[in-house]
Amino acid sequence: MSASLSDLESKFNREIAGTSTTDQIDALQREYLGRKGIFNALLENIKNLPAEEKQKYGKDVNILKNKIQGLLLAKKLETEEKTLTDAIGKQGIDGSLPPYPFSPGHLHPVHQVLDEVTRIFAAMGFSVAEGPEIESEENNFDKLNIPEDHPAKDMHDTFYVDLSSKRELGQTMLNLDPMKRSPGSKFLLRTHTSPVQIRELLKHKEQGRFPVRLIAPGKVYRHEAIDATHSSVFHQIEGLVVGKDISFADLKGTLELFVKRFFGDEVKTRLQPSFFPFVEPGAEMHISCTICSGKNAACPVCKGSGWLEMLGAGMVHPNVFKAVGYDPEEFTGFAFGMGIERIAMIRYGISDMRLFFENHLDFLSQF
């Protein structure tokens, strides 16, 4: 490290030792690390150095910058903790605090179910993939074979986001999304976790890694009227398997195994045809009622039918494969998706989804 940088470090150490408030630390941070601070000036000056000195000097500047950044953060945390401790000491005993022993907390029931579902599929060889909650319209709709005039694209179903007026949010999105997008692409809060499948298919194709076997858990958003069975924010977990000679029988066997492990061996399953734009053929999986087993005509959960809708699934549509550059004659696969709140309601016999989000301890403490 050059003599000038050593002198700068010594100067900083003297100044930070003399700080005692967060305002002083913030002022020091602006002086050294701010947009018009010392380190920006040092880095800007590198272009004026001889070529043989630039690399070493730039490295030394960055090492010192990172060191000072760490010292500032540590000093700020230490100062905030001391301030808080002093304030608590002056208050004396807080009579509003609950008495000992404190009740231990636990995971929310939705996250308990999400973790269990994830463990089951992980044991079956599925990896976990994640993606940003702000998505491009291209990934969320177009590449999933959802047509331009599909009702889900309307504003009453989808929350669109204007990133042009939110520079920092837009930059964050660009950093999260390494893929190129079409000019003029719109952005939205994802309506399902299926865009993660698009991202992963493109990634696997680029890296030449097959077969694909993954689940994509996470929060999704829809402009829904909130009631006992609908919410504008909820959790999904979707699965995708792509390879050679993947069949509908593989899909059926995978889902049946999951249901048995999650609900128990006594639960029966059935598939019935259904339409989803991104699969062909598509199906809904139903399970026998976990509350009455179909024996109670007045059952509030299955309404006496004996069956509960569990999830949607099907074989990946050829148009989806084409959208991500796969040959549908060479690759086959299946996909499925389920709402975590939905299967939590089925497991626990809960008839109103809103209970999960209202934070009533009497309700949550039962799980």
Side-chain angles (χ1 to χ4, degrees):
M1 186 180 293
S2 67
S4 61
L5 293 181
S6 296
D7 292 342
L8 180 62
E9 182 177 8
S10 299
K11 175 178 177 290
F12 170 80
N13 288 335
R14 288 193 302 272
E15 290 178 344
I16 197 171
T19 60
S20 58
T21 67
T22 54
D23 288 343
Q24 291 174 334
I25 297 169
D26 289 340
L28 203 58
Q29 181 161 347
R30 289 192 295 272
E31 178 187 350
Y32 282 84
L33 303 176
R35 188 164 58 89
K36 297 181 179 180
I38 293 173
F39 277 95
N40 271 3
L42 290 174
L43 292 171
E44 181 68 23
N45 189 52
I46 290 177
K47 65 177 183 290
N48 300 321
L49 296 176
E52 64 273 11
E53 296 180 17
K54 287 182 178 179
Q55 183 175 358
K56 183 179 186 308
Y57 186 77
K59 181 179 178 181
D60 288 345
V61 169
N62 278 314
I63 289 173
L64 181 56
K65 180 181 178 182
N66 291 335
K67 183 177 180 180
I68 285 177
Q69 203 165 18
L71 290 171
L72 282 166
L73 178 59
K75 182 70 173 182
K76 190 168 187 177
L77 291 173
E78 177 188 335
T79 303
E80 289 174 345
E81 184 175 355
K82 184 178 184 303
T83 302
L84 180 60
T85 302
D86 292 345
I88 292 174
K90 291 177 182 178
Q91 287 178 358
I93 297 174
D94 186 351
S96 68
L97 290 174
Y100 290 100
F102 296 111
S103 299
H106 58 78
L107 282 177
H108 190 280
V110 168
H111 283 278
Q112 290 183 40
V113 170
L114 182 59
D115 287 350
E116 184 175 352
V117 172
T118 301
R119 284 195 298 270
I120 291 172
F121 281 110
M124 294 163 64
F126 285 74
S127 60
V128 178
E130 295 180 326
E133 293 175 11
I134 298 176
E135 258 298 355
S136 67
E137 188 177 43
E138 186 178 8
N139 291 342
N140 196 83
F141 291 127
D142 300 341
K143 282 185 164 64
L144 289 164
N145 196 41
I146 298 176
E148 185 66 32
D149 58 353
H150 195 282
K153 286 192 171 185
D154 293 341
M155 284 297 294
H156 65 269
D157 282 332
T158 304
F159 293 105
Y160 282 88
V161 179
D162 180 10
L163 295 186
S164 62
S165 62
K166 300 174 178 61
R167 184 178 302 173
E168 293 182 2
L169 184 59
Q171 187 59 46
T172 299
M173 178 61 198
L174 293 174
N175 292 338
L176 286 171
D177 187 0
M179 298 187 301
K180 295 179 180 178
R181 293 180 299 278
S182 303
S185 180
K186 296 179 181 177
F187 296 94
L188 46 85
L189 297 181
R190 64 183 182 188
T191 59
H192 45 189
T193 56
S194 300
V196 179
Q197 299 179 15
I198 294 297
R199 291 168 174 273
E200 290 297 316
L201 284 172
L202 289 167
K203 187 186 301 183
H204 279 69
K205 182 175 184 292
E206 181 181 344
Q207 298 173 354
R209 294 190 290 118
F210 298 102
V212 180
R213 188 187 295 113
L214 61 89
I215 53 172
K219 277 188 294 187
V220 298
Y221 306 83
R222 295 180 189 176
H223 196 179
E224 299 270 13
I226 298 173
D227 58 27
T229 56
H230 297 86
S231 176
S232 57
V233 182
F234 56 99
H235 297 76
Q236 274 191 345
I237 189 164
E238 302 197 13
L240 176 70
V241 174
V242 171
K244 305 292 180 67
D245 302 320
I246 305 295
S247 70
F248 199 92
D250 298 315
L251 167 62
K252 185 172 184 290
T254 299
L255 295 180
E256 284 190 346
L257 180 57
F258 162 70
V259 168
K260 299 292 185 187
R261 289 185 176 179
F262 188 82
F263 289 106
D265 292 336
E266 69 282 358
V267 175
K268 298 180 176 62
T269 63
R270 73 177 186 186
L271 291 170
Q272 70 177 36
S274 188
F275 172 75
F276 305 100
F278 30 82
V279 292
E280 179 60 39
E284 289 180 357
M285 171 170 272
H286 295 184
I287 65 170
S288 56
C289 181
T290 57
I291 304 301
C292 73
S293 301
K295 298 175 182 177
N296 181 6
C299 177
V301 178
C302 71
K303 306 298 188 291
S305 68
W307 294 96
L308 301 170
E309 181 184 339
M310 175 72 178
L311 54 83
M315 302 302 292
V316 178
H317 199 290
N319 288 347
V320 175
F321 279 134
K322 292 175 183 177
V324 290
Y326 285 61
D327 182 358
E329 297 297 324
E330 180 182 1
F331 292 95
T332 56
F334 64 78
F336 57 87
M338 66 189 87
I340 296 300
E341 286 83 358
R342 171 69 178 164
I343 62 174
M345 292 169 71
I346 292 173
R347 162 172 275 190
Y348 299 120
I350 297 168
S351 58
D352 194 328
M353 182 189 293
R354 289 171 291 191
L355 291 169
F356 289 128
F357 303 108
E358 291 175 347
N359 293 325
H360 292 309
L361 292 181
D362 287 343
F363 171 76
L364 297 175
S365 61
Q366 299 176 55
F367 302 92

